[in-house]
mmCIF file of all heavy atoms in Angstrom:
data_model
loop_
_atom_site.group_PDB
_atom_site.id
_atom_site.type_symbol
_atom_site.label_atom_id
_atom_site.label_comp_id
_atom_site.label_asym_id
_atom_site.label_seq_id
_atom_site.Cartn_x
_atom_site.Cartn_y
_atom_site.Cartn_z
ATOM 1 N N ASN I 932 5.965 102.037 184.032
ATOM 2 C CA ASN I 932 7.006 102.742 184.783
ATOM 3 C C ASN I 932 8.226 102.914 183.890
ATOM 4 O O ASN I 932 9.162 102.109 183.906
ATOM 5 C CB ASN I 932 7.358 101.951 186.048
ATOM 6 C CG ASN I 932 8.379 102.687 186.900
ATOM 7 O OD1 ASN I 932 8.540 103.905 186.779
ATOM 8 N ND2 ASN I 932 9.048 101.947 187.766
ATOM 9 N N VAL I 933 8.224 103.961 183.074
ATOM 10 C CA VAL I 933 9.327 104.264 182.151
ATOM 11 C C VAL I 933 9.749 105.697 182.377
ATOM 12 O O VAL I 933 8.902 106.607 182.467
ATOM 13 C CB VAL I 933 8.911 104.050 180.681
ATOM 14 C CG1 VAL I 933 10.055 104.440 179.749
ATOM 15 C CG2 VAL I 933 8.503 102.596 180.434
ATOM 16 N N THR I 934 11.066 105.940 182.471
ATOM 17 C CA THR I 934 11.610 107.283 182.700
ATOM 18 C C THR I 934 11.931 107.958 181.373
ATOM 19 O O THR I 934 12.515 107.346 180.462
ATOM 20 C CB THR I 934 12.886 107.196 183.548
ATOM 21 O OG1 THR I 934 12.586 106.512 184.769
ATOM 22 C CG2 THR I 934 13.422 108.589 183.851
ATOM 23 N N PHE I 935 11.541 109.232 181.254
ATOM 24 C CA PHE I 935 11.874 110.034 180.075
ATOM 25 C C PHE I 935 13.075 110.922 180.416
ATOM 26 O O PHE I 935 13.045 111.641 181.420
ATOM 27 C CB PHE I 935 10.703 110.908 179.646
ATOM 28 C CG PHE I 935 9.626 110.169 178.898
ATOM 29 C CD1 PHE I 935 9.613 108.787 178.843
ATOM 30 C CD2 PHE I 935 8.624 110.866 178.235
ATOM 31 C CE1 PHE I 935 8.628 108.109 178.151
ATOM 32 C CE2 PHE I 935 7.631 110.207 177.535
ATOM 33 C CZ PHE I 935 7.618 108.818 177.502
ATOM 34 N N LYS I 936 14.131 110.861 179.563
ATOM 35 C CA LYS I 936 15.304 111.695 179.773
ATOM 36 C C LYS I 936 15.519 112.560 178.540
ATOM 37 O O LYS I 936 15.578 112.050 177.420
ATOM 38 C CB LYS I 936 16.537 110.837 180.042
ATOM 39 C CG LYS I 936 17.757 111.680 180.399
ATOM 40 C CD LYS I 936 18.929 110.782 180.778
ATOM 41 C CE LYS I 936 20.117 111.637 181.195
ATOM 42 N NZ LYS I 936 21.273 110.788 181.592
ATOM 43 N N ARG I 937 15.580 113.882 178.782
ATOM 44 C CA ARG I 937 15.701 114.810 177.661
ATOM 45 C C ARG I 937 17.113 115.395 177.612
ATOM 46 O O ARG I 937 17.618 115.912 178.602
ATOM 47 C CB ARG I 937 14.681 115.928 177.784
ATOM 48 C CG ARG I 937 13.286 115.418 178.095
ATOM 49 C CD ARG I 937 12.273 116.519 178.122
ATOM 50 N NE ARG I 937 11.015 116.084 178.724
ATOM 51 C CZ ARG I 937 9.851 116.680 178.540
ATOM 52 N NH1 ARG I 937 9.766 117.735 177.768
ATOM 53 N NH2 ARG I 937 8.763 116.219 179.142
ATOM 54 N N LYS I 938 17.728 115.308 176.406
ATOM 55 C CA LYS I 938 19.031 115.930 176.180
ATOM 56 C C LYS I 938 18.883 116.864 174.977
ATOM 57 O O LYS I 938 19.388 116.604 173.879
ATOM 58 C CB LYS I 938 20.102 114.879 175.917
ATOM 59 C CG LYS I 938 20.409 114.012 177.122
ATOM 60 C CD LYS I 938 21.550 113.037 176.810
ATOM 61 C CE LYS I 938 21.894 112.204 178.043
ATOM 62 N NZ LYS I 938 23.027 111.261 177.781
ATOM 63 N N LEU I 939 18.128 117.939 175.241
ATOM 64 C CA LEU I 939 17.810 118.876 174.178
ATOM 65 C C LEU I 939 18.535 120.199 174.427
ATOM 66 O O LEU I 939 18.664 120.637 175.576
ATOM 67 C CB LEU I 939 16.299 119.108 174.115
ATOM 68 C CG LEU I 939 15.418 117.850 173.976
ATOM 69 C CD1 LEU I 939 13.948 118.243 173.941
ATOM 70 C CD2 LEU I 939 15.799 117.072 172.738
ATOM 71 N N PRO I 940 19.020 120.835 173.369
ATOM 72 C CA PRO I 940 19.731 122.109 173.551
ATOM 73 C C PRO I 940 18.785 123.209 174.023
ATOM 74 O O PRO I 940 17.596 123.211 173.684
ATOM 75 C CB PRO I 940 20.289 122.406 172.158
ATOM 76 C CG PRO I 940 19.367 121.696 171.238
ATOM 77 C CD PRO I 940 18.931 120.450 171.955
ATOM 78 N N ASN I 941 19.326 124.114 174.788
ATOM 79 C CA ASN I 941 18.546 125.252 175.277
ATOM 80 C C ASN I 941 18.679 126.379 174.265
ATOM 81 O O ASN I 941 19.369 127.378 174.494
ATOM 82 C CB ASN I 941 19.051 125.682 176.662
ATOM 83 C CG ASN I 941 18.163 126.743 177.286
ATOM 84 O OD1 ASN I 941 17.006 126.928 176.867
ATOM 85 N ND2 ASN I 941 18.684 127.437 178.277
ATOM 86 N N ALA I 942 18.029 126.195 173.114
ATOM 87 C CA ALA I 942 18.143 127.181 172.026
ATOM 88 C C ALA I 942 16.882 127.136 171.204
ATOM 89 O O ALA I 942 16.084 126.189 171.291
ATOM 90 C CB ALA I 942 19.365 126.878 171.159
ATOM 91 N N ASP I 943 16.682 128.192 170.443
ATOM 92 C CA ASP I 943 15.527 128.250 169.538
ATOM 93 C C ASP I 943 15.997 127.908 168.132
ATOM 94 O O ASP I 943 16.781 128.648 167.521
ATOM 95 C CB ASP I 943 14.901 129.646 169.563
ATOM 96 C CG ASP I 943 14.296 129.976 170.931
ATOM 97 O OD1 ASP I 943 13.882 129.021 171.627
ATOM 98 O OD2 ASP I 943 14.262 131.157 171.284
ATOM 99 N N LEU I 944 15.541 126.747 167.630
ATOM 100 C CA LEU I 944 15.917 126.304 166.282
ATOM 101 C C LEU I 944 14.641 126.182 165.455
ATOM 102 O O LEU I 944 13.775 125.343 165.761
ATOM 103 C CB LEU I 944 16.655 124.965 166.325
ATOM 104 C CG LEU I 944 17.931 124.925 167.170
ATOM 105 C CD1 LEU I 944 18.507 123.515 167.189
ATOM 106 C CD2 LEU I 944 18.960 125.912 166.630
ATOM 107 N N PHE I 945 14.499 127.032 164.463
ATOM 108 C CA PHE I 945 13.277 127.066 163.668
ATOM 109 C C PHE I 945 13.457 126.289 162.365
ATOM 110 O O PHE I 945 14.441 126.474 161.640
ATOM 111 C CB PHE I 945 12.884 128.500 163.360
ATOM 112 C CG PHE I 945 12.338 129.233 164.552
ATOM 113 C CD1 PHE I 945 13.184 129.869 165.440
ATOM 114 C CD2 PHE I 945 10.972 129.263 164.786
ATOM 115 C CE1 PHE I 945 12.685 130.545 166.541
ATOM 116 C CE2 PHE I 945 10.465 129.947 165.889
ATOM 117 C CZ PHE I 945 11.319 130.582 166.772
ATOM 118 N N VAL I 946 12.512 125.395 162.094
ATOM 119 C CA VAL I 946 12.489 124.641 160.835
ATOM 120 C C VAL I 946 11.099 124.759 160.239
ATOM 121 O O VAL I 946 10.119 125.013 160.951
ATOM 122 C CB VAL I 946 12.858 123.157 161.047
ATOM 123 C CG1 VAL I 946 14.291 123.010 161.505
ATOM 124 C CG2 VAL I 946 11.902 122.508 162.051
ATOM 125 N N GLU I 947 11.023 124.557 158.922
ATOM 126 C CA GLU I 947 9.750 124.634 158.214
ATOM 127 C C GLU I 947 9.233 123.226 158.004
ATOM 128 O O GLU I 947 9.806 122.461 157.211
ATOM 129 C CB GLU I 947 9.931 125.363 156.878
ATOM 130 C CG GLU I 947 8.609 125.720 156.221
ATOM 131 C CD GLU I 947 8.793 126.512 154.940
ATOM 132 O OE1 GLU I 947 9.934 126.517 154.407
ATOM 133 O OE2 GLU I 947 7.820 127.125 154.464
ATOM 134 N N VAL I 948 8.144 122.852 158.699
ATOM 135 C CA VAL I 948 7.627 121.487 158.639
ATOM 136 C C VAL I 948 6.109 121.507 158.606
ATOM 137 O O VAL I 948 5.469 122.514 158.915
ATOM 138 C CB VAL I 948 8.106 120.654 159.852
ATOM 139 C CG1 VAL I 948 9.609 120.472 159.825
ATOM 140 C CG2 VAL I 948 7.663 121.292 161.158
ATOM 141 N N ASP I 949 5.551 120.348 158.250
ATOM 142 C CA ASP I 949 4.111 120.107 158.364
ATOM 143 C C ASP I 949 3.893 119.485 159.736
ATOM 144 O O ASP I 949 4.269 118.328 159.962
ATOM 145 C CB ASP I 949 3.654 119.179 157.248
ATOM 146 C CG ASP I 949 2.135 118.991 157.238
ATOM 147 O OD1 ASP I 949 1.535 118.972 158.324
ATOM 148 O OD2 ASP I 949 1.576 118.861 156.129
ATOM 149 N N LEU I 950 3.325 120.234 160.658
ATOM 150 C CA LEU I 950 3.195 119.776 162.038
ATOM 151 C C LEU I 950 2.384 118.493 162.151
ATOM 152 O O LEU I 950 2.716 117.600 162.945
ATOM 153 C CB LEU I 950 2.551 120.876 162.903
ATOM 154 C CG LEU I 950 3.484 121.994 163.377
ATOM 155 C CD1 LEU I 950 2.694 122.997 164.200
ATOM 156 C CD2 LEU I 950 4.611 121.404 164.202
ATOM 157 N N ASP I 951 1.337 118.380 161.364
ATOM 158 C CA ASP I 951 0.498 117.198 161.452
ATOM 159 C C ASP I 951 1.290 115.947 161.066
ATOM 160 O O ASP I 951 1.249 114.925 161.741
ATOM 161 C CB ASP I 951 -0.723 117.366 160.552
ATOM 162 C CG ASP I 951 -1.679 116.183 160.676
ATOM 163 O OD1 ASP I 951 -2.010 115.807 161.810
ATOM 164 O OD2 ASP I 951 -2.055 115.622 159.622
ATOM 165 N N LYS I 952 2.038 116.049 159.938
ATOM 166 C CA LYS I 952 2.817 114.891 159.459
ATOM 167 C C LYS I 952 3.953 114.570 160.428
ATOM 168 O O LYS I 952 4.201 113.393 160.740
ATOM 169 C CB LYS I 952 3.385 115.188 158.067
ATOM 170 C CG LYS I 952 2.334 115.492 157.007
ATOM 171 C CD LYS I 952 1.496 114.258 156.713
ATOM 172 C CE LYS I 952 0.605 114.478 155.496
ATOM 173 N NZ LYS I 952 -0.396 115.538 155.682
ATOM 174 N N LEU I 953 4.645 115.598 160.923
ATOM 175 C CA LEU I 953 5.761 115.352 161.839
ATOM 176 C C LEU I 953 5.257 114.771 163.155
ATOM 177 O O LEU I 953 5.922 113.917 163.769
ATOM 178 C CB LEU I 953 6.525 116.652 162.089
ATOM 179 C CG LEU I 953 7.789 116.527 162.931
ATOM 180 C CD1 LEU I 953 8.773 115.560 162.302
ATOM 181 C CD2 LEU I 953 8.449 117.906 163.118
ATOM 182 N N THR I 954 4.051 115.213 163.593
ATOM 183 C CA THR I 954 3.468 114.658 164.822
ATOM 184 C C THR I 954 3.201 113.167 164.659
ATOM 185 O O THR I 954 3.448 112.371 165.583
ATOM 186 C CB THR I 954 2.171 115.406 165.175
ATOM 187 O OG1 THR I 954 2.452 116.800 165.355
ATOM 188 C CG2 THR I 954 1.546 114.846 166.441
ATOM 189 N N GLN I 955 2.694 112.766 163.484
ATOM 190 C CA GLN I 955 2.460 111.335 163.234
ATOM 191 C C GLN I 955 3.772 110.557 163.305
ATOM 192 O O GLN I 955 3.819 109.448 163.848
ATOM 193 C CB GLN I 955 1.817 111.148 161.857
ATOM 194 C CG GLN I 955 0.407 111.705 161.733
ATOM 195 C CD GLN I 955 -0.170 111.466 160.355
ATOM 196 O OE1 GLN I 955 -0.057 110.374 159.820
ATOM 197 N NE2 GLN I 955 -0.804 112.485 159.792
ATOM 198 N N VAL I 956 4.846 111.142 162.766
ATOM 199 C CA VAL I 956 6.147 110.455 162.778
ATOM 200 C C VAL I 956 6.609 110.244 164.219
ATOM 201 O O VAL I 956 6.958 109.127 164.629
ATOM 202 C CB VAL I 956 7.193 111.267 161.977
ATOM 203 C CG1 VAL I 956 8.589 110.676 162.175
ATOM 204 C CG2 VAL I 956 6.829 111.305 160.512
ATOM 205 N N LEU I 957 6.625 111.335 164.999
ATOM 206 C CA LEU I 957 7.116 111.231 166.375
ATOM 207 C C LEU I 957 6.216 110.348 167.226
ATOM 208 O O LEU I 957 6.693 109.597 168.091
ATOM 209 C CB LEU I 957 7.230 112.631 166.984
ATOM 210 C CG LEU I 957 8.279 113.556 166.328
ATOM 211 C CD1 LEU I 957 8.234 114.940 166.976
ATOM 212 C CD2 LEU I 957 9.669 112.954 166.448
ATOM 213 N N ASP I 958 4.905 110.418 166.993
ATOM 214 C CA ASP I 958 3.976 109.554 167.747
ATOM 215 C C ASP I 958 4.284 108.085 167.492
ATOM 216 O O ASP I 958 4.291 107.264 168.427
ATOM 217 C CB ASP I 958 2.530 109.869 167.355
ATOM 218 C CG ASP I 958 2.033 111.171 167.990
ATOM 219 O OD1 ASP I 958 2.795 111.751 168.785
ATOM 220 O OD2 ASP I 958 0.907 111.586 167.672
ATOM 221 N N ASN I 959 4.505 107.713 166.207
ATOM 222 C CA ASN I 959 4.812 106.309 165.879
ATOM 223 C C ASN I 959 6.101 105.851 166.547
ATOM 224 O O ASN I 959 6.172 104.755 167.122
ATOM 225 C CB ASN I 959 4.937 106.137 164.367
ATOM 226 C CG ASN I 959 3.591 106.053 163.676
ATOM 227 O OD1 ASN I 959 2.618 105.569 164.267
ATOM 228 N ND2 ASN I 959 3.501 106.534 162.441
ATOM 229 N N ILE I 960 7.136 106.713 166.504
ATOM 230 C CA ILE I 960 8.430 106.320 167.057
ATOM 231 C C ILE I 960 8.360 106.202 168.576
ATOM 232 O O ILE I 960 8.841 105.220 169.164
ATOM 233 C CB ILE I 960 9.512 107.340 166.636
ATOM 234 C CG1 ILE I 960 9.683 107.334 165.103
ATOM 235 C CG2 ILE I 960 10.853 107.013 167.302
ATOM 236 C CD1 ILE I 960 10.599 108.417 164.578
ATOM 237 N N ILE I 961 7.739 107.213 169.236
ATOM 238 C CA ILE I 961 7.667 107.180 170.706
ATOM 239 C C ILE I 961 6.757 106.048 171.172
ATOM 240 O O ILE I 961 7.022 105.387 172.178
ATOM 241 C CB ILE I 961 7.191 108.546 171.243
ATOM 242 C CG1 ILE I 961 8.206 109.635 170.871
ATOM 243 C CG2 ILE I 961 7.006 108.500 172.759
ATOM 244 C CD1 ILE I 961 7.749 111.043 171.221
ATOM 245 N N SER I 962 5.670 105.805 170.416
ATOM 246 C CA SER I 962 4.774 104.691 170.788
ATOM 247 C C SER I 962 5.522 103.375 170.741
ATOM 248 O O SER I 962 5.379 102.518 171.627
ATOM 249 C CB SER I 962 3.570 104.653 169.845
ATOM 250 O OG SER I 962 2.795 105.825 169.983
ATOM 251 N N ASN I 963 6.334 103.157 169.698
ATOM 252 C CA ASN I 963 7.129 101.925 169.605
ATOM 253 C C ASN I 963 8.123 101.834 170.759
ATOM 254 O O ASN I 963 8.340 100.753 171.339
ATOM 255 C CB ASN I 963 7.881 101.870 168.275
ATOM 256 C CG ASN I 963 6.963 101.543 167.115
ATOM 257 O OD1 ASN I 963 5.880 100.981 167.323
ATOM 258 N ND2 ASN I 963 7.380 101.878 165.902
ATOM 259 N N ALA I 964 8.760 102.973 171.112
ATOM 260 C CA ALA I 964 9.727 102.964 172.209
ATOM 261 C C ALA I 964 9.053 102.576 173.519
ATOM 262 O O ALA I 964 9.610 101.816 174.328
ATOM 263 C CB ALA I 964 10.395 104.336 172.322
#
């Protein structure tokens, strides 16, 4: 029972990234949280 709260801007911000690598980063951080 954990609540997710999003404070994200309502805008389109484009960056050039490797989706697979960035997904691993965010997965590790959110999993720890």
Side-chain angles (χ1 to χ4, degrees):
N932 183 21
V933 177
T934 304
F935 282 11
K936 185 175 183 179
R937 312 184 194 201
K938 293 183 178 181
L939 305 179
N941 187 18
D943 294 332
L944 302 176
F945 287 86
V946 295
E947 191 177 16
V948 295
D949 185 325
L950 280 179
D951 183 49
K952 301 293 190 296
L953 185 58
T954 301
Q955 293 181 45
V956 171
L957 295 177
D958 284 356
N959 281 329
I960 297 173
I961 297 174
S962 296
N963 285 339

